[in-house]
Amino acid sequence: MHLFTNKLIKDLDLKLQIIDTDESDNIRKAQESMRCIKNALIQLKFYVIDNSFKSEKDEIHFFKTIKPEILSKLIYTYKVFNIETHHPMGSYDVQEAYLMHHLEKLTFFYNKHQEFYQYYRMNSTVHDDKYFIRGNETHYLCQDSLIFYIEPDFSTSHDYMVAKIIANDRLELYLNKELEALSAKASNPNGGQPGISGNTSLQWTDSKTALVELIYGICASGSINNGKCDIRELTTAFEQIFSVQLPDIYRTFSEIKIRSTPTKYVDSLKASLLRKLEEDN
């Protein structure tokens, strides 16, 4: 089982990384990510139903660690999707209140489930046989995770709770980052990213992969500084100009190299220019 689950998680993470790099729109990114995660959970479910655990220890590890790791990704992505689709377009105060409301909901969750939250954070194991073994939940019910009634072969009373804790940790980081970006924009409305001056009307709206392809193409052409421009330096310049972040250009470039059409964006750029020239004749 470990071989199957390790490969499933590794493949899923790779797909999510590609989506994160290729898709610039947060809502579409969330939608595509949720489809991948749901598919992984379906594969995981059928594998567990068709294969028995060798021991209670293995079953506990699966429902305390493996399943929550994947399920937390779905919970987190679904919450981000909802936050993004309902995000108000009003003033700074309106948007700040909206984000703070979601942060307060995380605090409410913590207060409501403080006992189990502490149990999990302290890596306790004394009740693991009740929390993470199927069919042993009689006196350890969790009202926020009654899904085990619907899928008793693939759920325990608290695997969902662990997944939600992991998802909430990520969501807290996401919300704080959004608040920081909102504050930076309010304090410097004519600037780009925090600490960067520039024209914020210029924003990269295509995929990040396309931008990385363009940056490498320009760098390879030798058009900047007589060919003595470092790829990281050029990337930083594009990040500042277009208010975009490209955290791992080297991995993205490796993915570009193995595509069936490595120069996908450059080819489309050429085609667009030729079309423009014909239209203007």
Side-chain angles (χ1 to χ4, degrees), residues 4 8 35-49 70 154:
F4 173 82
L8 184 69
R35 280 194 289 268
C36 288
I37 301 167
K38 287 177 181 178
N39 182 58
L41 281 169
I42 290 172
Q43 293 181 58
L44 191 66
K45 174 183 175 180
F46 285 126
Y47 187 86
V48 168
I49 292 174
I70 299 178
F154 188 56

Side-chain angles (χ1 to χ4, degrees), residues 32-232:
E32 292 180 25
S33 297
M34 283 190 288
R35 280 194 289 268
C36 288
I37 301 167
K38 287 177 181 178
N39 182 58
L41 281 169
I42 290 172
Q43 293 181 58
L44 191 66
K45 174 183 175 180
F46 285 126
Y47 187 86
V48 168
I49 292 174
D50 293 340
N51 295 271
S52 301
F53 292 104
K54 293 181 179 180
S55 64
E56 283 195 353
K57 181 180 179 180
D58 285 344
E59 184 170 355
I60 289 171
H61 176 71
F62 176 83
F63 286 108
K64 190 176 184 179
T65 304
I66 303 300
K67 182 187 173 184
E69 180 177 350
I70 299 178
L71 183 57
S72 68
K73 299 178 190 296
L74 182 61
I75 297 171
Y76 167 77
T77 307
Y78 178 74
K79 286 182 177 292
V80 169
F81 174 78
N82 278 330
I83 291 171
E84 290 287 343
T85 53
H86 295 91
H87 200 293
M89 298 297 292
S91 65
Y92 168 82
D93 290 339
V94 170
Q95 294 186 63
E96 182 188 39
Y98 176 77
L99 295 172
M100 288 300 299
H101 170 69
H102 284 282
L103 274 175
E104 289 167 2
K105 289 171 68 174
L106 300 184
T107 302
F108 176 78
F109 172 83
Y110 164 74
N111 291 334
K112 182 180 179 180
H113 303 287
Q114 189 171 9
E115 183 178 350
F116 180 75
Y117 191 91
Q118 291 175 343
Y119 175 90
Y120 176 72
R121 288 297 190 205
M122 293 173 64
N123 295 315
S124 297
T125 60
V126 64
H127 295 309
D128 279 3
D129 60 329
K130 305 299 188 300
Y131 292 153
F132 305 109
I133 293 288
R134 292 166 296 179
N136 286 4
E137 62 279 332
T138 306
H139 301 295
Y140 293 86
L141 300 180
C142 176
Q143 296 302 314
D144 275 32
S145 55
L146 297 179
I147 189 66
F148 66 84
Y149 278 131
I150 301 173
E151 295 188 323
D153 293 334
F154 188 56
S155 301
T156 68
S157 65
H158 284 71
D159 63 77
Y160 176 82
M161 285 294 296
V162 173
K164 200 165 183 179
I165 289 172
I166 297 171
N168 283 353
D169 285 346
R170 290 187 62 193
L171 193 63
E172 182 179 6
L173 293 174
Y174 161 80
L175 290 168
N176 282 321
K177 184 177 179 181
E178 289 295 302
L179 283 167
E180 289 175 5
L182 182 64
S183 177
K185 185 176 181 181
S187 62
N188 186 21
N190 295 318
Q193 297 176 10
I196 297 172
S197 60
N199 186 356
T200 53
S201 66
L202 296 177
Q203 293 191 351
W204 185 261
T205 55
D206 209 314
S207 73
K208 291 182 180 180
T209 299
L211 183 55
V212 171
E213 183 184 330
L214 178 62
I215 291 171
Y216 268 91
I218 293 174
C219 190
S221 71
S223 300
I224 308 295
N225 294 345
N226 296 314
K228 297 180 181 179
C229 178
D230 178 73
I231 190 66
R232 185 66 255 181

